[in-house]
Amino acid sequence: MVRILFTMVDSQYYLPNDIGISALDCAEAFRLLSPKEQLYSHYLSRSAWYGGLVVLLQTSPESASIYVLLQRLFRKQPPAQLENVATAAGLTPEEYQAFLVFAAGLYANMGNYKSFGDTKFIPNLPKEKLKALVWQSQAFHDSPSEMEALWDSCSTLLFSLADRQKQLGLGDKGITSYFSGNCFLEDAELAQRFLDSKNLSAYNTRLFKKKSEGKTCYEVRLASAVENGETGTSLDGEGETRCGQYDFEDCVFTVSRGDYAPLMKKVSENLEKAKDHAANENQKRMLEEYARSFTYGSVEAHKEGSRFWIKDKGPIVESYIGFIESYRDPFGSRGEFEGFVAVVNKAMSERFAKLVSSAEVLLPDLPWPKEFEKDRFLLPDFTSLDVLTFAGSGIPAGINIPNYDDIRQSEGFKNVSLGNVLAVAYATQKDKLTFLDEDDKDAYIKWKGPSFEVQVGLHELLGHGSGKLFVQDEKGTFNFEQDNVLNPETGEKITTWYKGNETWDSKFSTISCSYEECRAECVGLYLCLNKQVLSIFGHEGEDAEELVYINWLNMVRAGLLGLEFYTPESHSWRQAHMQARFVILRVLLEAGEGLVTLKECTGKDGRPDALMTLDRSKIHTVGKAAIGRFLCKLQVIKSTADVEGGRALYEGYSAVSDSGSHNFLRLRETVLLRKEARKMFVQANTTVKGDSVDLVEYEGSAAGLIRSFTERFPDDAEEVEAHLLELAERDAPCWC
């Protein structure tokens, strides 16, 4: 039994040979673009792909070296040719496929940690066999000393499953490249206080700590093409970036520029090229500000670019780029680089536009007092897009951006649903459906896609787009009536709020991402019960009720599946959305009255299993009341900056133990036993030929994904790889 359990748990660190890999289809959408729009898309894509390489350096110390090793292997010999070498080196067909899947996984996640779940994955073959393959490859034959040095620089960490290296985390809880290896939570908290004191955002920074002359010194390094000391740069963005040295709480802080400099330069250069093909003045100004941000390290410039982006209503080609989501920063403040380029799907966008126009009618239905809602709902763009390019560590189903609280509260935001991602990401085979009754499986397969479309729409628009933050600005002015607004949970006046430069992310730090995802998911569950919402998406009568049932069933099942992303050893969650769904499961189980049941059982294969059921007759009563109460608590805590109350509530529901009515630690082992690997996507490339742009597509396989990356940088691959190695080697001593 012990040996079986060990194998089961260990398997989470391998990608299975039969992992789903699908090509993202955007050929028709791209074909319908004008030549100017295609060129605009091409240069935006180039900018995104160069920036996406930054994620290698943000993920782990070894990711960049592994990437370069793989690129050099496959550029000389594509997968079909390298297979003969693998056979000669003694690899079985299964072992060679495992290597291809690992390589595809590294490209898809932009590093050797899963973008969804933050666990490490390693090649599922012996280290000596992979070394034999490298040594017999054409790349090694052509450059033996370089390939041996590459292998030596990354091979130990490539296969290591030491406890700390199994997952991303801060200090002794895991690996992170956002902080030097000697940083702990108290360092992150100190740095946040420093950043707040200087009105600096953490989004585009990393933190490095060292001792000098008996003093603790920190370097806050900004991502920028310009490096410290370059001639004439002190006048450009210096006030916005606060570069310089400061004494703060008995420590020395230095704010410097130049992180990822050569990559940031290529990002900016391609944004300038895209500007020549922009459709309007808003797009041009947007790209100018983005380029200024990436050149000088100014988050203020990126915010300014985001303002022009919001004003660019209904573009045919939609894009966003920068240091965006903070899920993978263990402290929750630093953004991972991502950039996307997509084409509007007009039919689906019409439905989302109807949802936007109904927003002001639907918002009052949310279960908090009107004083806790924004003074004015800023009608955003809400479009369905077919992705051409999504560079970063993974591809979401929907996005609500920008993440800057001050802009979202007073100026607006945009929502996008990624249609061609939804089309392939959530297709489910009946024989792979776990933890559901047989009677539910057919309905689940039929309604999962449509229900998720509704949930994504509500989650992004009315989830992330709703709710007011109570703020006292630097002049002492409040944005709410301090004497009249009452806390609906206590009936008393508001006693806490955001002050000065404090933001949601900086205040709630480590729980901010998951807490906000939970709030948005609850909004989706709550408002999908509204017949007007269902009608907007074309669902009436019995079909509408079936959609509601599957949406709620999918959420509680996702809560159970979320246990895969919990690490018992460190009592920590590795994925914000899955933690959020587990919390919702706990809330609905707590509601009682037979709404949700979760039972452990033995499967047909004789191994541990579980069964979830949802009483559809109680969704509109017991379920709605439970989610409404919880959602009101979440919003009140968020509005009032009640960090202590928020932590107590959210961490309480997030706790995973073997006591109580359900043994969630044991259920976690069952979930790991029966888990299905998350799908990977193969994306197209674009190439310019004269005045036209060609779309180059690839098959949906590990080999296709690998080929897409080996052809992604046709003009400067070796230069880019040299930059990556140089950047990785410069910081190598910081991770020890």
Side-chain angles (χ1 to χ4, degrees):
M1 180 64 183
V2 173
R3 187 166 59 85
I4 292 172
L5 192 61
F6 176 80
T7 303
M8 176 189 78
V9 174
D10 236 24
S11 69
Q12 69 180 301
Y13 302 108
Y14 301 110
L15 301 177
N17 278 10
D18 63 350
I19 191 170
I21 302 176
S22 301
L24 274 186
D25 180 17
C26 63
E28 182 65 12
F30 188 77
R31 185 183 65 79
L32 293 173
L33 295 178
S34 70
K36 182 179 180 180
E37 290 164 345
Q38 289 184 351
L39 283 163
Y40 182 66
S41 301
H42 169 76
Y43 288 113
L44 286 175
S45 294
R46 299 313 304 154
S47 187
W49 286 125
Y50 283 118
L53 296 173
V54 164
V55 179
L56 293 164
L57 299 161
Q58 291 182 300
T59 299
S60 71
E62 67 274 15
S63 287
S65 298
I66 300 170
Y67 170 87
V68 175
L69 179 74
L70 294 174
Q71 286 288 83
R72 292 187 178 175
L73 280 174
F74 290 119
R75 257 205 321 278
K76 293 288 185 181
Q77 292 169 292
Q81 289 182 24
L82 197 60
E83 185 171 9
N84 296 327
V85 178
T87 302
L91 278 70
T92 66
E94 293 75 21
E95 288 169 338
Y96 183 60
Q97 178 63 19
F99 170 59
L100 294 184
V101 165
F102 169 81
L106 184 114
Y107 290 132
N109 292 277
M110 271 289 99
N112 58 335
Y113 287 77
K114 295 174 187 174
S115 65
F116 199 88
D118 292 347
T119 46
K120 189 175 188 177
F121 58 96
I122 66 173
N124 191 12
L125 71 158
K127 182 178 179 180
E128 59 271 17
K129 287 200 172 185
L130 181 52
K131 182 177 180 180
L133 169 61
V134 172
W135 254 246
Q136 293 189 37
S137 68
Q138 188 64 44
F140 191 92
H141 181 268
D142 291 350
S143 307
S145 58
E146 286 184 32
M147 291 297 287
E148 184 169 0
L150 262 178
W151 175 264
D152 289 344
S153 71
C154 66
S155 57
T156 299
L157 289 174
L158 173 62
F159 282 90
S160 173
L161 285 177
D163 285 345
R164 188 182 170 201
Q165 288 155 2
K166 286 180 178 178
Q167 67 281 316
L168 299 179
L170 183 57
D172 54 7
K173 291 190 174 182
I175 292 297
T176 178
S177 298
Y178 288 101
F179 298 86
S180 56
N182 55 353
C183 284
F184 292 84
L185 181 59
E186 54 267 30
D187 298 296
E189 291 171 339
L190 171 62
Q192 189 62 57
R193 292 196 297 275
F194 167 75
L195 291 168
D196 287 344
S197 76
K198 297 299 176 189
N199 196 20
L200 262 180
S201 169
Y203 271 123
N204 66 341
T205 71
R206 291 197 291 172
L207 186 70
F208 298 85
K209 174 185 174 184
K210 66 179 180 180
K211 288 279 188 182
S212 179
E213 298 178 358
K215 272 215 162 190
T216 302
C217 301
Y218 295 94
E219 179 192 6
V220 175
R221 194 187 298 164
L222 310 175
S224 68
V226 165
E227 300 188 68
N228 284 352
E230 289 189 27
T231 306
T233 60
S234 60
L235 299 176
D236 296 303
E238 201 70 54
E240 294 170 7
T241 58
R242 313 289 192 274
C243 288
Q245 188 169 298
Y246 306 88
D247 291 320
F248 185 81
E249 294 190 19
D250 296 325
C251 300
V252 177
F253 275 83
T254 302
V255 180
S256 64
R257 295 194 284 201
D259 215 2
Y260 326 117
L263 298 176
M264 290 293 95
K265 184 179 180 184
K266 289 184 177 291
V267 171
S268 298
E269 287 172 349
N270 280 280
L271 290 176
E272 291 291 344
K273 292 177 181 177
K275 194 174 75 170
D276 293 338
H277 308 284
N280 54 54
E281 194 61 27
N282 278 326
Q283 287 183 0
K284 290 178 182 177
R285 295 294 304 278
M286 167 186 85
L287 296 178
E288 284 173 0
E289 293 296 335
Y290 289 164
R292 186 164 74 87
S293 172
F294 302 139
T295 300
Y296 300 112
S298 168
V299 171
E300 287 303 316
H302 194 268
K303 290 174 76 170
E304 194 62 24
S306 297
R307 291 185 173 99
F308 287 112
W309 177 72
I310 292 167
K311 294 174 186 174
D312 184 30
K313 300 288 187 183
I316 300 299
V317 177
E318 184 61 282
S319 68
Y320 198 64
I321 190 169
F323 295 87
I324 312 298
E325 302 293 355
S326 53
Y327 301 127
R328 297 181 94 187
D329 169 15
F331 190 66
S333 295
R334 288 152 191 80
E336 184 175 70
F337 194 95
E338 69 179 39
F340 77 82
V341 185
V343 183
V344 170
N345 178 319
K346 291 183 179 179
M348 183 70 71
S349 295
E350 283 179 16
R351 294 207 281 273
F352 287 134
K354 289 179 183 176
L355 186 64
V356 170
S357 64
S358 304
E360 290 179 279
V361 178
L362 296 172
L363 281 169
D365 276 1
L366 289 169
W368 51 75
K370 62 179 174 29
E371 293 84 3
F372 287 75
E373 191 48 69
K374 291 173 184 169
D375 302 328
R376 181 170 62 94
F377 184 73
L378 300 159
L379 294 179
D381 254 14
F382 199 161
T383 49
S384 178
L385 308 174
D386 285 342
V387 171
L388 168 65
T389 294
F390 206 113
S393 66
I395 309 179
I399 314 170
N400 175 287
I401 35 183
N403 286 336
Y404 304 117
D405 287 334
D406 51 343
I407 293 179
R408 292 160 66 92
Q409 291 280 316
S410 59
E411 298 178 57
F413 53 92
K414 285 187 184 182
N415 296 273
V416 298
S417 175
L418 304 179
N420 58 344
V421 175
L422 280 168
V424 294
Y426 298 99
T428 309
Q429 296 175 1
K430 188 173 181 179
D431 61 351
K432 292 189 175 182
L433 258 182
T434 52
F435 311 129
L436 295 182
D437 187 279
E438 287 298 317
D439 292 340
D440 282 331
K441 288 184 178 179
D442 289 329
Y444 186 94
I445 289 168
K446 179 179 179 180
W447 289 102
K448 169 74 183 294
S451 71
F452 200 73
E453 176 186 295
V454 172
Q455 180 69 13
V456 167
L458 294 171
H459 173 116
E460 300 296 349
L461 174 66
L462 299 173
H464 292 314
S466 64
K468 180 174 181 174
L469 301 185
F470 294 158
V471 178
Q472 180 184 21
D473 66 21
E474 291 166 334
K475 297 177 182 177
T477 305
F478 291 89
N479 71 339
F480 66 102
E481 295 184 19
Q482 197 184 1
D483 293 329
N484 297 325
V485 178
L486 299 181
N487 183 324
E489 299 292 312
T490 64
E492 298 173 357
K493 290 182 180 180
I494 304 302
T495 58
T496 55
W497 49 79
Y498 298 85
K499 297 174 183 175
N501 298 319
E502 291 177 342
T503 66
W504 162 250
D505 284 335
S506 70
K507 195 80 174 164
F508 284 75
S509 65
T510 54
I511 67 166
S512 62
C513 290
S514 185
Y515 187 110
E516 174 59 12
E517 294 304 331
C518 186
R519 195 183 68 87
E521 291 284 47
C522 287
V523 168
L525 285 182
Y526 194 82
L527 288 180
C528 83
L529 303 177
N530 185 304
K531 289 184 178 180
Q532 182 180 351
V533 168
L534 298 169
S535 179
I536 287 169
F537 285 89
H539 306 295
E540 308 275 359
E542 288 184 16
D543 282 358
E545 286 305 310
E546 200 70 7
L547 183 142
V548 167
Y549 175 62
I550 295 304
N551 194 36
W552 278 62
L553 182 65
N554 181 49
M555 187 63 71
V556 295
R557 177 176 180 263
L560 179 60
L561 298 180
L563 287 167
E564 175 190 342
F565 303 94
Y566 177 76
T567 303
E569 293 79 10
S570 58
H571 306 289
S572 61
W573 285 88
R574 306 184 312 275
Q575 214 293 319
H577 299 80
M578 299 311 278
Q579 179 182 359
R581 291 158 188 164
F582 176 76
V583 166
I584 292 170
L585 170 61
R586 291 281 308 276
V587 169
L588 294 177
L589 284 168
E590 186 183 83
E593 299 188 47
L595 173 68
V596 176
T597 59
L598 171 57
K599 296 178 181 177
E600 295 184 70
C601 57
T602 301
K604 293 178 181 178
D605 56 5
R607 300 190 298 173
D609 207 340
L611 179 65
M612 304 204 72
T613 57
L614 171 69
D615 187 338
R616 68 170 71 214
S617 71
K618 295 177 179 175
I619 293 173
H620 286 269
T621 53
V622 180
K624 182 178 182 180
I627 287 295
R629 285 191 301 270
F630 185 62
L631 185 49
C632 186
K633 286 180 183 177
L634 291 175
Q635 182 56 50
V636 169
I637 286 168
K638 181 180 181 183
S639 290
T640 59
D642 179 10
V643 178
E644 188 176 332
R647 286 196 178 280
L649 178 72
Y650 202 69
E651 290 173 354
Y653 277 108
S654 298
V656 178
S657 72
D658 55 5
S659 60
S661 56
H662 296 89
N663 187 334
F664 285 115
L665 281 175
R666 189 168 63 219
L667 279 163
R668 176 180 174 273
E669 303 293 353
T670 303
V671 169
L672 286 174
L673 179 70
R674 299 188 177 277
K675 73 185 179 74
E676 182 182 3
R678 194 170 174 84
K679 287 180 180 174
M680 298 191 287
F681 299 108
V682 183
Q683 298 183 61
N685 283 320
T686 53
T687 59
V688 175
K689 291 189 176 177
D691 295 330
S692 64
V693 181
D694 287 348
L695 186 74
V696 184
E697 297 181 281
Y698 304 90
E699 67 176 25
S701 66
L705 207 163
I706 290 164
R707 189 176 152 224
S708 73
F709 267 89
T710 54
E711 295 180 5
R712 191 140 282 156
F713 305 99
D715 303 322
D716 56 1
E718 291 187 7
E719 176 198 343
V720 167
E721 289 160 21
H723 288 318
L724 278 170
L725 292 178
E726 178 187 340
L727 292 168
E729 287 164 10
R730 180 185 71 175
D731 291 330
C734 299
W735 317 124
C736 300

